Amino acid sequence: MIFPETHIPITEIPLQNRDVRLFVKREDFIDPEISGNKYWKLFYNINSYLARKTANPRLITFGGAFSNHIAAVSALGYREDIPTVGIIRGDELANKWQHNPTLSFAAAKGMMFCFVSREQYRRKEELGEIMLQQYPEALIIPEGGTNELAVDGIRHMLNEQTKSFDYLCCAVGTGGTLAGISKFAEAEQNILGFKIVNDDSLQQSVLALSGRNNFSLINEINGRYGKITDEDIRFINVFAEKYGIQLDPVYTGKMMQGIFALIEADFFPKESKILSFHTGGLQGISGANKMLAAKGRKLINNTVSSQTNYL
Ligand SMILES: Cc1ncc(COP(=O)(O)O)c(C=O)c1O
């Protein structure tokens, strides 16, 4: 993987009558297909694997039907000419994955799927072992790409510009991104991770990867883990209209709502400078909208799909 030269802007969200300042670092601009934190979590994993020059390289990873990580790994494999296998949660998808935009994208990038039940998916380490028997030279990338090399890659989301912020905020799934920000932040910076999954082990696993306890985990704003609520949709649509920034419903939309709620509750000391990381995930909007449409619900205004080459 090349070291991207893309300029990643930091833009201010103009808040009215607030004594704190809020900014967004647009990691979603880094690459149209391997977007946001996914690029950096994969960067050292893939480059160290490629350096081994195996005769039969293959990338094997795990994810759900809307996974940004699955989309990113498939695109990466296509670009680097490495076959990819996705172990996908939900065996019911085996006959209908073609209707899922994320999986259709991954298949178009050449990813092979192995659909497993939720029960089997919980034992994914075993599935990885079985896969390795079939493909001994393959690289098994953990769910969400999170491991020590991923954490090291996240250091590139931080730079001279990010040093001046009092708070650094990101969405938390498997915790690799938060761990990387925590590990490489300045000593005086506070790190907030907005949980999008209800996983009590995150505190421990992030601490183990980061080695620092400079971070706090914030619970999902209204406790609706893994659900796209009407309020999420409203917030994302208003945010895009007002500030011209598209958020996704699973990660960045929840994070931004969480930040707004903390601002509202006067959590941040006066004059605080808050930096949020836009970690991408916009490929998931079309799948989310398909699901919402099937239920007759309001849709997310997708301002990005016409500008990018996702689907
Ligand atoms: C858009 C987006 N934001 C945030 C995250 C959370 O990252 P992590 O799994 O490292 O906690 C992910 C997952 O990779 C993601 O796709």
Side-chain angles (χ1 to χ4, degrees):
M1 282 174 91
I2 56 158
F3 197 94
E5 297 299 329
T6 321
H7 172 63
I8 304 294
I10 293 180
T11 51
E12 181 159 10
I13 304 298
L15 300 174
Q16 304 283 312
N17 306 322
R18 295 287 168 197
D19 42 24
V20 298
R21 294 176 72 190
L22 174 62
F23 298 79
V24 184
K25 185 161 189 273
R26 300 297 305 272
E27 295 295 337
D28 55 317
F29 285 171
I30 200 161
D31 185 287
E33 293 178 335
I34 311 167
S35 119
N37 57 343
K38 266 69 64 194
Y39 201 99
W40 293 120
K41 287 200 281 186
L42 291 166
F43 186 73
Y44 289 117
N45 275 294
I46 299 306
N47 285 345
S48 61
Y49 181 62
L50 289 177
R52 277 189 251 153
K53 297 197 186 305
T54 53
N56 295 299
R58 188 173 299 264
L59 306 177
I60 300 177
T61 197
F62 310 86
F66 301 96
S67 166
N68 298 317
H69 172 70
I70 287 287
V73 170
S74 69
L76 176 62
Y78 184 79
R79 205 175 288 178
E80 300 285 346
D81 202 17
I82 313 173
T84 54
V85 179
I87 298 177
I88 309 295
R89 183 179 57 228
D91 44 5
E92 75 282 0
L93 290 159
N95 306 320
K96 52 179 185 190
W97 62 264
Q98 294 87 342
H99 303 294
N100 174 292
T102 299
L103 297 180
S104 303
F105 171 85
K109 294 290 178 187
M111 183 174 260
M112 269 171 45
F113 299 131
C114 173
F115 294 97
V116 298
S117 69
R118 281 164 179 74
E119 173 57 33
Q120 287 170 314
Y121 191 83
R122 258 175 242 126
R123 293 179 279 119
K124 37 182 140 12
E125 286 73 24
E126 283 170 37
L127 295 175
E129 291 302 317
I130 295 168
M131 280 288 177
L132 273 184
Q133 286 166 15
Q134 199 177 340
Y135 304 114
E137 291 180 280
L139 176 68
I140 306 278
I141 307 173
E143 188 183 35
T146 284
N147 58 14
E148 285 183 12
L149 287 177
V151 169
D152 282 346
I154 295 293
R155 66 150 35 104
H156 299 295
M157 286 172 38
L158 302 176
N159 58 24
E160 269 315 299
Q161 273 183 300
T162 64
K163 287 184 182 170
S164 68
F165 291 89
D166 305 300
Y167 288 86
L168 303 176
C169 303
C170 70
V172 181
T174 55
T177 308
L178 175 64
I181 295 173
S182 154
K183 184 169 178 181
F184 298 106
E186 299 301 296
E188 63 285 359
Q189 288 181 308
N190 303 290
I191 326 299
L192 302 181
F194 291 81
K195 279 167 65 180
I196 63 98
V197 286
N198 196 6
D199 176 355
D200 292 336
S201 67
L202 274 170
Q203 182 73 34
Q204 271 312 107
S205 55
V206 173
L207 186 61
L209 283 167
S210 129
R212 295 171 88 186
N213 59 5
N214 55 355
F215 66 90
S216 305
L217 283 165
I218 313 287
N219 287 334
E220 209 272 3
I221 160 110
N222 44 30
R224 302 300 303 275
Y225 289 101
K227 296 267 183 297
I228 301 174
T229 65
D230 290 345
E231 180 49 24
D232 293 337
I233 299 167
R234 192 200 66 82
F235 182 90
I236 289 168
N237 288 346
V238 170
F239 194 88
E241 202 168 297
K242 215 164 161 185
Y243 306 117
I245 297 178
Q246 179 76 57
L247 301 172
D248 82 290
V250 180
Y251 293 95
T252 54
K254 300 260 189 200
M255 169 195 70
M256 198 58 81
Q257 279 183 83
I259 296 173
F260 271 56
L262 291 183
I263 293 175
E264 197 64 36
D266 286 331
F267 168 88
F268 299 102
K270 275 193 178 36
E271 322 263 298
S272 292
K273 274 178 77 189
I274 307 156
L275 180 63
S276 59
F277 290 92
H278 192 317
T279 41
L282 303 178
Q283 68 82 30
I285 296 176
S286 28
N289 271 344
K290 258 190 132 167
M291 206 178 63
L292 293 166
K295 293 180 179 164
R297 292 180 55 198
K298 199 166 164 30
L299 303 188
I300 299 158
N301 295 336
N302 192 355
T303 56
V304 277
S305 61
S306 55
Q307 300 162 20
T308 67
N309 58 353
Y310 281 126
L311 287 170

